[in-house]
Amino acid sequence: MIGTLLYGGGLRLMECLRLRVQDIDFGYSRIAVRNGKGGKDRMTILPARVVPALRTHLEAMEERHCAAMRDGYGGVELPPSVIHKRPAAALEWTWQYVFPALRASEDPRSGAYRRHHIMEDSVQRQMRAAVRRAGINKAASCHTLRHCFATHLLERGYDIRTVQELMGHADVSTTQLYTHVLQKGANAVASPADF
């Protein structure tokens, strides 16, 4: 699921792992990325392919959250602005991580037991193993999936400004870097012999 969201939504790994339940909008098929690179928020695509599995996953996570609440813990860390306004929000289902860690751990700052999101190195290890199993002999990482997202949208003819917005790039020149991959032959000119 994480790999599908990285590729299908153009997410950075930590953006994906920090997703909260309320950031997934099934009705509009979109994902709200909060406090992404540069502290920016943006909207991106929720891939239809992942929706059934994601719904099932969230149902299981909600059950786990309810059990944790019954056992006396179940909160998550909140953004400072939310803590100030609504400290009880840490226990609400909508603020829980989409991909929570298996166990709660003690927050070193507050001493409270909370459930954090899964760690990025575990996802990166799984990605490396998947690359090896697939027999890919090139360097590939979780971030490669984000690059593929942009490249494949541009290959399919989507407007560079749309791709820029989905990627969260401040400047279109950053998005234009993906156009070099689209070059085929001399300046992307097709040979007349291939018409």
Side-chain angles (χ1 to χ4, degrees):
M1 259 186 303
I2 291 172
T4 303
L5 290 172
L6 297 177
Y7 170 68
L11 297 172
R12 295 175 180 91
L13 178 56
M14 288 308 296
E15 290 172 343
C16 185
L17 298 183
R18 290 181 181 147
L19 286 175
R20 311 280 182 145
V21 172
Q22 65 185 354
D23 297 332
I24 306 295
D25 186 339
F26 290 107
Y28 286 101
S29 298
R30 63 185 181 186
I31 299 169
V33 177
R34 310 273 180 216
N35 199 22
K37 189 172 180 180
K40 297 177 189 159
D41 295 349
R42 73 177 191 280
M43 293 297 230
T44 191
I45 304 162
L46 173 62
R49 168 175 280 174
V50 79
V51 167
L54 189 56
R55 284 186 189 276
T56 302
H57 170 76
L58 287 175
E59 287 170 10
M61 293 305 98
E62 186 171 17
E63 287 177 22
R64 188 193 305 176
H65 171 66
C66 290
M69 295 290 290
R70 284 191 299 274
D71 292 341
Y73 67 93
V76 293
E77 184 179 4
L78 294 174
S81 60
V82 177
I83 292 172
H84 182 71
K85 294 177 192 171
R86 298 182 47 230
L91 301 174
E92 295 173 8
W93 166 240
T94 59
W95 280 99
Q96 304 307 302
Y97 289 112
V98 171
F99 300 107
L102 189 58
R103 294 178 199 86
S105 58
E106 186 177 357
D107 185 326
R109 290 171 288 206
S110 69
Y113 276 88
R114 299 181 174 160
R115 197 174 301 276
H116 199 59
H117 56 73
I118 62 174
M119 301 303 290
E120 62 185 314
D121 60 339
S122 65
V123 178
Q124 291 166 334
R125 276 193 307 273
Q126 290 177 13
M127 178 69 176
R128 282 192 296 273
V131 168
R132 277 194 307 275
R133 281 192 310 273
I136 298 171
N137 296 319
K138 294 181 179 184
S141 67
C142 292
H143 205 70
T144 304
L145 298 173
R146 177 175 160 82
H147 293 308
C148 291
F149 168 81
T151 303
H152 292 163
L153 287 177
L154 292 170
E155 282 179 338
R156 286 170 177 80
Y158 285 94
D159 177 84
I160 195 161
R161 297 280 183 191
T162 300
V163 176
Q164 174 192 0
E165 188 177 315
L166 293 171
M167 296 287 285
H169 292 155
D171 194 303
V172 74
S173 63
T174 306
T175 314
Q176 286 175 326
L177 295 174
Y178 293 103
T179 61
H180 82 279
V181 179
L182 305 177
Q183 301 293 324
K184 298 172 186 154
N187 296 322
V189 176
S191 167
D194 295 329
F195 292 154

